[in-house]
Amino acid sequence: MSTPPLPEWIAGRDAPSSGGQDFLGLRTAAQRIGYHLLDGVTSVTPQVRYLSLRSWILDIWWAQRRPEDRKELDAFARRVEAAVVLGNLLAGRNRENLVGGDKGVERFRSSEDPISLDPVVDTPANTIYKGAAEQLGLDTARFGERVTAVNGLTPSRGAPLAAHLRSLAEETALGRRLHTEGPSEHASRADLKALGERLRLDRFQPEEVDLLCAALMPDAPQAGASPAARAQELRRTGTWCALLWLGQSAEPTEGRLWALALDPARPSPPALESVLDGWALYLVRDVLVAAHEAVMRAVTLSLGRRGDEGKRSVPAAEVLAELASAEIEAPLRDLGLLAEGERCADLPLTALAQRLVNRTSTGLYTRGGLRWWHDDLHEEALIGLCEGAPDRSLALLPLAWLLAERRARLGVEEGLADHRFLSPSGRIGMTQVVLPELDRLRAEGVSVLEAGLRLTRRTVDQHLRVAWARMRQNARSDVAHLFVDGDRWRWRADFAAGRTNSRVYNAIRWGGQLGLWGSPTGAALLTRGLRTLEAER
């Protein structure tokens, strides 16, 4: 039976690209945990010195008594940033991680002098780094009862940082003009180069490092800060201390932080226990992300093969049968949960759950609503298998659910505060979906294979709910990677599986830019941070 043609308003659209995007809607919960533990840095803020640059731009704006108009500030910031970017390039700075660096290089293709200071970006770094600067207390829109349309600098953090950059820029003719007149339409190559040499975005003087680190890991709250704001700063300080502890001899990595968070022995200082437990919660959500995204990728790859890349729909049962025919037992054997010759179709889910309990009972203890055990069967091991072979992930999905239950069920059922992040509404939450559905599957006596098939259908349904929700907000935003007609599926695009983009990666980069890893500066900062955490425990 032929499939009827799709309506033009659907069929004519470009297929979506899913690289790095949350088209299952499951990464949000992990991202919220990440923010809870480490604000002030995001996955789109790779250069810490842009925080200093933003403070300097706001300082110039207010010193010149310019209006409280965000659009005018954006136009102003784009020209100032163009001068800094062009200056950095002329001073020998690599374009990598330089916002507007590519357009800046293009501008040098001509021999014009002076050079246009037309913007080199559509969205200035001043805007991109706004949230991070506010979270670090460098600037704010609220001063007592007054709320400003353009943020002002905080006296204790933002103003000293701006004053430092102002003193550097004052040493150049272009910097002095910026301070008195604002950005002009053109600047000479010589003036730009001089400014770039003083404001290299990849180089810091010790004073600036101290000012930025004081914002990242403040010893004391700012005047008027609420208890909740201070608690947020202490969690951030804890995460930075964990990275500094790992980075005493070499640059830390995300993987080493995850390993420390999951290590029941925890060789790190006791003051870091709470924040590391938080990162373990993050991994509980992330293992669900990785497993669901892996099976979603497997579905779209199968559809592409069986449906002639979108030319026809196929029964969902055929796709699921193909997924089931892959070597789905191999990952479970690799984890030591399945013997040679055993099949997922014959193994009850209850048996797999019991094997998981047996494997994770060595040295078992409970802390903070989480179970801890001495075994290499943990979230990172499972995430690695999902990422390495999504086509064999059908049996890993129910295992991911069981592992999340094993780790966090106690805290979820106790209603512990931090465990609320595991149960977001409409995002396959632990309370609403995972725990009751596992209880139901066990009561029905289903096999591991049947559990995997049901959860795969749930994954497709979750993806479609997210796609429909986004279309309700914007009718031209169609992110669906497959079409569904009854119980038939049709390929639209391959799903790019992965895991949650962690802000920790950019925090590690910031630490490297500030010279914190394996250095006396980092060691002193670690000592100070631990002292702060101990004093306020």
Side-chain angles (χ1 to χ4, degrees), residues 355-372:
R355 292 179 187 185
L356 176 63
V357 168
N358 295 342
R359 276 286 301 276
T360 58
S361 292
T362 303
L364 181 70
Y365 69 95
T366 302
R367 182 186 66 241
L370 297 172
R371 289 189 177 99
W372 307 88

Side-chain angles (χ1 to χ4, degrees), residues 217-297:
M217 299 172 56
D219 294 334
Q222 294 197 100
S226 67
R230 183 54 179 164
Q232 180 72 53
E233 289 187 335
L234 291 173
R235 289 190 294 270
R236 183 204 312 143
T237 296
T239 296
W240 275 102
C241 281
L243 292 174
L244 287 164
W245 186 82
L246 289 169
Q248 292 178 92
S249 58
E251 181 172 294
T253 64
E254 288 178 296
R256 290 176 62 205
L257 180 63
W258 307 152
L260 182 62
L262 295 173
D263 186 349
R266 287 275 176 83
S268 50
L272 305 183
E273 185 173 284
S274 176
V275 76
L276 289 172
D277 286 356
W279 285 112
L281 275 177
Y282 172 92
L283 293 170
V284 170
R285 277 304 305 189
D286 208 24
V287 74
L288 297 176
V289 170
H292 279 279
E293 291 200 3
V295 297
M296 187 65 203
R297 176 163 177 78

Side-chain angles (χ1 to χ4, degrees), residues 145-206:
E145 296 299 317
R146 182 168 180 255
V147 178
T148 61
V150 171
N151 281 15
L153 298 173
T154 56
S156 60
R157 298 182 191 173
L161 200 54
H164 174 71
L165 255 69
R166 176 179 281 272
S167 68
L168 296 178
E170 280 285 345
E171 298 176 14
T172 71
L174 181 54
R176 291 190 292 272
R177 289 201 302 276
L178 287 172
H179 292 159
T180 57
E181 305 167 12
S184 57
E185 293 187 1
H186 295 81
S188 70
R189 289 177 180 250
D191 283 352
L192 286 168
K193 182 178 180 182
L195 181 69
E197 287 172 342
R198 296 308 295 145
L199 297 184
R200 279 288 293 263
L201 294 175
D202 56 348
R203 294 177 185 172
F204 301 84
Q205 292 187 350

Side-chain angles (χ1 to χ4, degrees), residues 8 66 98 110 122 150 152 154 203 308 315 333 399 447 467 502:
E8 183 179 352
R66 291 179 177 264
L98 198 59
S110 74
D122 294 325
V150 171
T154 56
R203 294 177 185 172
D308 300 327
R333 284 197 295 270
L399 178 59
S447 68
S502 163

